[in-house]
Amino acid sequence: MTDTAAPLIALRDVFKIYGSGESEVRALDGVDLDIRTGEFVAVMGPSGSGKSTCMNVLGCLDRPTRGRYLFRGVDLAGASLDQLALVRRHYLGFVFQGFNLLARTTALENVELPLVYRGVPTVERRRLAAKALADVGLGGRELHTPAELSGGQQQRVAIARAMVSEPSLLLADEPTGNLDTARKHEIMRLLRALNDERKITIVVVTHESDVADFASRTILFRDGRIERDERRGAPS
Amino acid sequence: MLTSTLGMALREIRRNVLRSVLTTLGIVIGVAAVIMLVTLGQGATDKVTGDIAKMGVNMLTVVPGAERRGGASVGAAPLTLDDARAIRQEIPSVATVAPSAGRGLLVVSANQNWSTTVTGCTNDYLSVRDLRLAVGRSFNEAEAQGGSPACVLGPTVRSKLFGQGDPLDASIRVGKVACRVIGVTEAKGQNTFGMDQDDFVLMPLTTFQRRILGSRDVGAISMSASTETAIPKVKTQLAALMRARRKLPEGAPDDFSVRDMKEISETLSSVTGALTALLGAVAAVSLVVGGIGIMNIMLVSVTERTREIGIRLAIGARAYEVLLQFLVEAVMLSLFGGVLGMMLGLVGSYAAGRALSFPFRVLPEVVVIAFAFSFLVGVGFGFFPARRAARMNPIDALRHE
């Protein structure tokens, strides 16, 4: 690649080791990975291959045992838990398999949550959250609680929540795992559109190849290592 | 951030109203108990002090005999009217001197009789004892000098002998002496010890000595000091005077004793005060128990909301922000209980105070302390569950089912 711009994310020889001695498990076994701004990456691999661990490290939810993690050129390997929390707050958005919305809390309030921690004033918060909900096609459902929404709609709320703070990186861990095929493709088209139109960098962990097909780059993990790294077409 | 934390806590409490109310019940009861006991204790103290003031606050009484309480002991010479005169002349800070003598006797009206205490005294006795006449008059000069026998009744004796009838100018028999009723005093009711303060008959001392006692003895000399501050001085002067008059050699113990109402009042106040503090401390234990209740529910709540905590952490909440959220929730629960308990305690002590006819006086510091205590209980017992929430690992918390 001739791209000279610094990557958004760079993993350098990253290890994540659980246990020690005989029972040592290398969830990540020397991973090198660059992700540039605007990429749409699908991370695949069988269970236990290290893809979820890699996701947790990328999401600043977990710290590597060894190696360097450069986020926007800053090494986060030695960062404190609070510093990682602040990175999550200001630069990252999460979408989970189980939606992970606050129960008995309206869609609007769920979407507002990241802004609460950013200290955005109430009125502004409400406006941004309503807009984010409209962007994912849920305008008019602001006051519905998760129980009153379908699975696909709940995942859209979760995407709105991840997007409301305009993150540099959106991490989605099996975002379609709990959805039927139609909903699955709907969610993936939504992510695709966010990547196309807003140039949001997206990393999706999945074990389904039809989900991975929406991405422009596929990384395959096996036994804690990257086995394959393919790009399709020009990254948009 | 703080307002949204408060808002979140409030919503969480409202979300489960029944549980919140039950959780705070311990604090409610604890705070109510502390406030009720302390307020009632204060009421009791006020009542004791008030009752003693009714007996005459600046009053001192000298009685023969060394024993502090329980009247004359064997062998001590009785007091005399000369002693009273000497006190009046030689102790300048004494305002009024009232010698008296008493005996339990049967009093008989036309168709009723009643056993009571008959006291021979002068008009000064009325002012020293803070007795006021409801009807009639006190003794005139002729009666005081030992003329025709007259008597003043306490309200109890009056109603026992005359019921609703008019006692004035009626003739009653006191022991063996026929006597004309010239007045009735105002009712004072029972004192702190449950003694009826209205059950007596007063008659002039000279008459009493001559017709009933058959001697010139005086049982007690009451006096009022001119001011409250003069009491200690009067006491020492009185003791010196009595020793001189009774010709006690140096080093011999007093064969008389001086009672001082203020002293008694202070002793009683300190006893009721100590009792109040003790009861308050026992009640404070229930506050701690209430705190444990809050801790228990907060621990359950933290476990229940593990996923929520995971979401918040993933979204970028720092550990102390999660800690703060749960701590604020616990403190709000506790304060909510404190306010409820305070209202309950005040209403309860008002009602109980009325039933016991104690004066109702709220000590502001008790209210403040109860409030502060419920705040501290919230912080103290909320901290452990909150810390548990804050220390969660976001990955595990998100995976929690």
Side-chain angles (χ1 to χ4, degrees), chain B residues 40 105 127 247 275 294 332:
Chain B
L40 285 179
L105 283 172
S127 67
K247 302 192 172 60
L275 219 63
I294 286 190
M332 271 175 96

Side-chain angles (χ1 to χ4, degrees), chain B residues 34 77 90 111 280 295 349:
Chain B
V34 169
E90 295 189 23
N111 49 10
M295 178 156 77
S349 47

Side-chain angles (χ1 to χ4, degrees), chain A residues 3 25 30 36 39-40 63 69 100 103-104 123-124 128 163-164 166 169 174 187 202-203 205 214-215 231 233:
Chain A
D3 199 329
V25 176
R36 278 188 305 280
E39 280 196 289
F40 189 163
R63 287 187 286 194
Y69 173 26
N100 277 336
R104 289 178 293 178
V123 177
E124 176 72 353
L128 289 172
M163 292 307 302
V164 75
E166 300 186 338
L169 174 64
E174 304 270 13
I187 292 295
I202 300 178
V203 176
V205 170
F214 283 87
R231 286 163 212 268

Side-chain angles (χ1 to χ4, degrees), chain B residues 103-183:
Chain B
R103 179 177 282 186
L105 283 172
L106 193 69
V107 292
V108 184
S109 71
N111 49 10
Q112 299 288 334
N113 61 57
W114 181 247
S115 187
T116 184
T117 309
V118 180
T119 303
C121 61
T122 60
N123 283 335
D124 284 341
Y125 183 83
L126 292 162
S127 67
V128 171
R129 286 273 171 172
D130 197 22
L131 290 168
R132 276 179 282 270
L133 286 164
V135 291
R137 58 174 177 83
S138 53
F139 308 119
N140 64 25
E141 193 61 28
E143 286 156 355
Q145 293 304 320
S148 60
C151 60
V152 171
L153 306 183
T156 304
V157 177
R158 174 230 145 112
S159 67
K160 292 292 177 189
L161 296 187
F162 298 99
Q164 297 300 314
D166 179 15
L168 284 187
D169 277 334
S171 184
I172 61 170
R173 205 156 50 71
V174 177
K176 291 184 179 114
V177 182
C179 192
R180 200 163 63 93
V181 177
I182 58 165

Side-chain angles (χ1 to χ4, degrees), chain A residues 132-155:
Chain A
L133 276 173
D135 287 348
V136 296
L138 285 179
R141 310 253 166 159
E142 288 88 352
L143 300 182
H144 288 52
T145 60
E148 295 163 350
L149 297 170
S150 72
Q153 287 171 328
Q154 287 186 52
Q155 196 59 300

